Amino acid sequence: MSSAPPPGWYRDPTYPLTERWWDGTAWTDHRRQPEVPVPPQVPAQPPDGRGSRRVKAVALTVAGAVLVAAIVTGAVLLGHHGGAAQTRPSPTTARSAATGASRSAAPSTSATAAGDPNVVLDDLNGITFPVPRGWAKPENVAEDDVVLTTPGTYDCPGDPGFCRHGRVISRTATADLGTSPEALAKGDIADAANAEYDRDTLGNRPFGGITSHRLLTSGQIAVAGRVGYFVRWRVTTAKGPGGYVQSLVFPSSVGSGAPVVVRFAFDAGPGGPPLSDMDRIAKGIRPVGDAATDGGVGSSIGPGH
């Protein structure tokens, strides 16, 4: 699993004109300005003392401008976010999939999703994800395209950092629309495995790198009434128990029907989620506004596009 970014100052995702302290797990309330402008030089005081009054006037004007800017900044932050601190950092750039998959927008927190603790809405791709027992909506994660995580973190067995036992990521593929889900899934699985268990976006190896992998299963699958394809690997790592990675690709039910790439990464061993959750989550993916349409291996398959 990819490790969390190290502690440091990063652009505040809630207000890009400031920097905010990331403690390695979550955003803190500490903020600062990226650059402090140098105040203009004040001319030397003339003998008649009028310069002193000008100096005081300039100082009062500058102080007033700073106070107004602070009030406006606070009002913007509170008005946009209702006073709640945002916890998703954005200090790193996600690795692109071999298929050309691009980052999706952050999972929506619209009234539909926010009001239902059992559903995560991926508005960009027009689908919803179930939140099974033992899973949670993403919090304190660096990537914008994570839709599900297992609760909590642990110290990675390899390079220093924090790891999670399970993650599900949803992206939009930028490949040719004529490319089949099978070709996309087979092309994505190696990159998915490397991103989660070999080397993270910071160049660290939280599991010491992948030493081997083997194909567990692959095949056609129905996802939200669409024809999809999945590939599942078991990866062995230099440190830790390794894990399971799956690339699932199917056409979106909105817009031009661009392929959706859903990556699953589950730690092996006692701490990891049950492998059956991959099938359970895939079966529970549904088009937005159509709760009756499901999918999964063995389900009826709808039109491919």
Side-chain angles (χ1 to χ4, degrees):
M1 314 295 291
S2 59
S3 57
W9 290 103
Y10 300 104
R11 288 287 183 183
D12 189 342
T14 64
Y15 191 66
L17 296 181
T18 63
E19 291 182 342
R20 191 170 177 181
W21 182 257
W22 171 255
D23 65 9
T25 303
W27 290 114
T28 69
D29 291 330
H30 301 291
R31 293 182 174 86
R32 71 176 186 183
Q33 295 294 328
E35 296 181 0
V36 179
V38 178
Q41 296 295 322
V42 179
Q45 177 179 339
D48 60 3
R50 286 177 293 181
S52 176
R53 289 192 293 273
R54 266 199 306 273
V55 170
K56 292 179 181 179
V58 170
L60 290 174
T61 301
V62 171
V66 171
L67 178 59
V68 170
I71 293 173
V72 171
T73 299
V76 170
L77 288 175
L78 291 175
H80 184 65
H81 297 290
Q86 297 296 305
T87 56
R88 175 171 293 125
S90 54
T92 59
T93 301
R95 180 194 303 261
S96 296
T99 60
S102 63
R103 295 168 65 95
S104 296
S108 171
T109 54
S110 66
T112 303
D116 187 349
N118 300 313
V119 172
V120 174
L121 174 63
D122 180 355
D123 212 6
L124 180 65
N125 292 310
I127 52 177
T128 62
F129 289 80
V131 184
R133 181 188 299 263
W135 289 83
K137 295 184 179 184
E139 292 183 355
N140 304 327
V141 296
E143 297 89 343
D144 288 337
D145 44 16
V146 177
V147 292
L148 290 169
T149 68
T150 49
T153 61
Y154 65 95
D155 291 333
C156 301
D159 288 342
F162 299 102
C163 290
R164 295 179 184 272
H165 288 298
R167 299 201 316 166
V168 180
I169 295 170
S170 178
R171 294 179 173 176
T172 305
T174 57
D176 185 352
L177 292 180
T179 306
S180 69
E182 179 178 355
L184 290 172
K186 289 180 177 179
D188 182 71
I189 187 65
D191 192 73
N194 289 334
E196 295 296 334
Y197 287 102
D198 190 75
R199 194 180 297 274
D200 65 17
T201 56
L202 299 177
N204 298 321
R205 288 190 160 179
F207 294 88
I210 295 176
T211 58
S212 65
H213 76 270
R214 61 186 175 90
L215 174 67
L216 289 184
T217 183
S218 64
Q220 198 174 63
I221 182 174
V223 184
R226 301 294 220 170
V227 179
Y229 197 90
F230 75 99
V231 180
R232 185 180 300 173
W233 281 7
R234 170 67 162 95
V235 297
T236 302
T237 55
K239 297 182 179 180
Y244 302 93
V245 180
Q246 176 171 294
S247 288
L248 166 64
V249 181
F250 58 95
S252 171
S253 58
V254 298
S256 61
V260 181
V261 180
V262 180
R263 290 178 174 179
F264 300 77
F266 290 13
D267 282 356
L275 196 54
S276 58
D277 278 0
M278 287 190 182
D279 297 330
R280 186 174 294 109
I281 293 171
K283 182 177 175 60
I285 298 174
R286 292 177 168 83
V288 172
D290 187 1
T293 302
D294 58 6
V297 177
S299 298
S300 59
I301 297 177
H305 51 79

